[in-house]
Amino acid sequence: MSDVDPVTLEILRNQLEGVAAEMGHVLIRGAYSPNIKERQDCSTAIFDAAGRMVAQAEHIPVHLGAMPDAVGVVLDEDPKPGDVFVVNDPFAGGTHLPDITLVSTIAPRGEVIGFAVSRAHHADVGGSAPGSMPPGAREIYEEGVRLPAVRLVDGGEPNEAVYDLIRANVRTPDERTADLRAQRAANDRAEARIGELLDEHGSTLLDAFDAVIDYSRERVETELAALPDGTYRARDILEGDGVTDDDVPIAVTVTVDGSALDVDFAGTADQVDGNLNAPLSVAKSAVYFVVRAVTDPDIPPNHGCYEPVSVSVPEGSVLDPDPPAAVVGGNVETSQRVMDVTLAALAAAVPDAVPAGGQGTMNNLIIGDRSGEFTYYETIGGGFGARHDKDGMDGVQVGMTNTLNTPVEALEAEYPLRVERYALRPGSGGDGRHRGGLGLERTVTVETDATVSLLTERRRTAPAGLDGGEDGATGANLVDGDPVPAKVSIDVAAGSTVSVRTPGGGGHGDPDERDPAAKKRDRRDGKVGGRRDENGE
């Protein structure tokens, strides 16, 4: 630990986390697209001059654990005061192309002392289908404009050529420009606030960067040391890659050794033809989320949390693919399965800290027209797995995303869409001593000719129950009432309906041990229903 006294350290830690949170508020309030201003599909963080995360807002897990790689590639570009870099290349600091990251230098006194970073999911970045998430993509070139770390602002002067390049390659250029400006405003706010803290605390602020990282590392090491030493294994699958329906295995071996945790994905499938490949940064992000979940969540989230954790992934696998692999589904779906298997492995070590299987998918729904008039993107909540001491939550985002839904009023005002149904699915949560959370059904009428893309999972394999609990219900996708595949892109005519039925969470414990009063409450609240049909109903 550094020499910063505990009281000062706690004050500065909260101030730094407050700066990161304020960045998020500026981004959300300044954004133009509903995906950012309504769903809050964005993340913000502060890094030191060495590229270590110092503070983050509690935003999107899959964004935050992968941000350090984006800062790492910017460090290779010799950043100067007044520079803002833009990057989305999954093979050089990004995750998938719709997630555009801005990395700005923080130099309130003319010397770079850190970086402000914002990452936001942009509703369209070009590619072969509106929304830039084509389920059948085989190469990254089909998924949109690809940006290595380049200067969007050079020494304080906007690089209009880069803005022009982005606008020329997307379907909704005005929306993209407005959202990028919101990200710049968020990063600018961070530099202003860090400047104020520097004026208030002087060099103690920079000492605090080291101190908060040391503090988090020591606390995580203490938590890991309390876990039983041993080797724990788990295996699960992805339900096809968008090109074929063949199972894609994800395997993990987790070794707890004192205060260190080793996570090895040997036995995982080679990279696939479709877009379920996930960059290594995404796999690491999912592991880091699990570490946060099974240790004390009050530990300040920063670089120190991850120093005791090593992640090994076979090169050329679905978790570390070679370019030009398609990857857009890896960030949203494969990340969920990495989280699932890592949690499942640790269930043997800390059973009371691990829930039954959650919905295991983000249920990605994209609707847009090819002329560029609109692009709607949504991830839809589902069932959270039951815990050892309580039921799972109904209709929530689970795992690697933490977004809100698009309110019906905002959706219908912004897009030529009409929401016909938005409801919980009775009976979709797995039974148990504690019941799994319910999935959702969302049905939307498309009021113009459009392209519908779906990237979903858990349509064949159910979220697993734990300790004798029953599995949750699988999900289903329907267009005009007819089932469609889990991963599909289809052109629809005006008046078509799209229904997404999301999976429920697994139950925990023997169903016969469920409290009779809880069973009565289940019936009263409509949480139990009839027999499920082939579409999960």
Side-chain angles (χ1 to χ4, degrees), residues 39 359 361-365 376 378-382 396-397 403 405 422 440-442 500-503:
R39 296 188 60 247
Q359 68 162 341
T361 176
M362 295 190 195
N363 300 296
N364 301 271
L365 170 62
Y376 157 73
E378 186 94 47
T379 58
I380 304 174
V396 295
Q397 300 286 4
T403 56
N405 61 187
Y422 192 27
L440 293 170
E441 178 176 352
R442 190 158 193 166
V500 178
R501 296 172 180 168
T502 69

Side-chain angles (χ1 to χ4, degrees), residues 46 109 216 369 429:
I46 303 294
R109 295 181 179 175
S216 292
D369 69 336

Side-chain angles (χ1 to χ4, degrees), residues 403-464:
T403 56
L404 303 179
N405 61 187
T406 306
V408 172
E409 298 85 351
L411 186 155
E412 294 184 342
E414 294 277 357
Y415 305 113
L417 305 172
R418 186 174 69 253
V419 177
E420 305 290 354
R421 180 176 174 80
Y422 192 27
L424 296 172
R425 295 177 59 204
S428 55
D431 201 0
R433 183 170 59 252
H434 298 287
R435 291 188 60 84
L438 300 183
L440 293 170
E441 178 176 352
R442 190 158 193 166
T443 298
V444 177
T445 294
V446 186
E447 297 180 327
T448 185
D449 295 350
T451 299
V452 173
S453 296
L454 289 152
L455 268 175
T456 62
E457 278 281 322
R458 295 298 191 207
R459 269 49 184 172
R460 297 199 311 258
T461 58

Side-chain angles (χ1 to χ4, degrees), residues 474-516:
T474 54
N477 306 327
L478 301 95
V479 173
D480 290 329
D482 296 323
V484 297
K487 302 168 184 69
V488 69
S489 188
I490 183 171
D491 292 331
V492 300
S496 297
T497 61
V498 181
S499 297
V500 178
R501 296 172 180 168
T502 69
H508 197 298
D510 187 344
D512 291 338
E513 297 177 5
R514 186 160 178 77
D515 180 65

Side-chain angles (χ1 to χ4, degrees), residues 301-324:
N302 58 48
H303 179 82
C305 293
Y306 314 132
E307 286 187 335
V309 182
S310 60
V311 180
S312 303
V313 173
E315 293 183 6
S317 72
V318 72
L319 301 183
D320 187 17
D322 296 321

Side-chain angles (χ1 to χ4, degrees), residues 252-305:
V252 70
T253 300
V254 179
T255 302
V256 181
D257 184 8
S259 60
L261 189 75
D262 178 73
V263 183
D264 187 351
F265 288 95
T268 291
D270 292 340
Q271 71 183 72
V272 293
D273 291 336
N275 68 14
L276 268 289
N277 301 293
L280 178 58
S281 61
V282 170
K284 292 190 296 184
S285 194
V287 170
Y288 297 155
F289 173 79
V290 171
V291 172
R292 296 274 298 157
V294 301
T295 59
D296 185 349
D298 291 330
I299 297 173
N302 58 48
H303 179 82
C305 293

Side-chain angles (χ1 to χ4, degrees), residues 33 67 214 287:
S33 66
M67 273 187 178
D214 291 344
V287 170

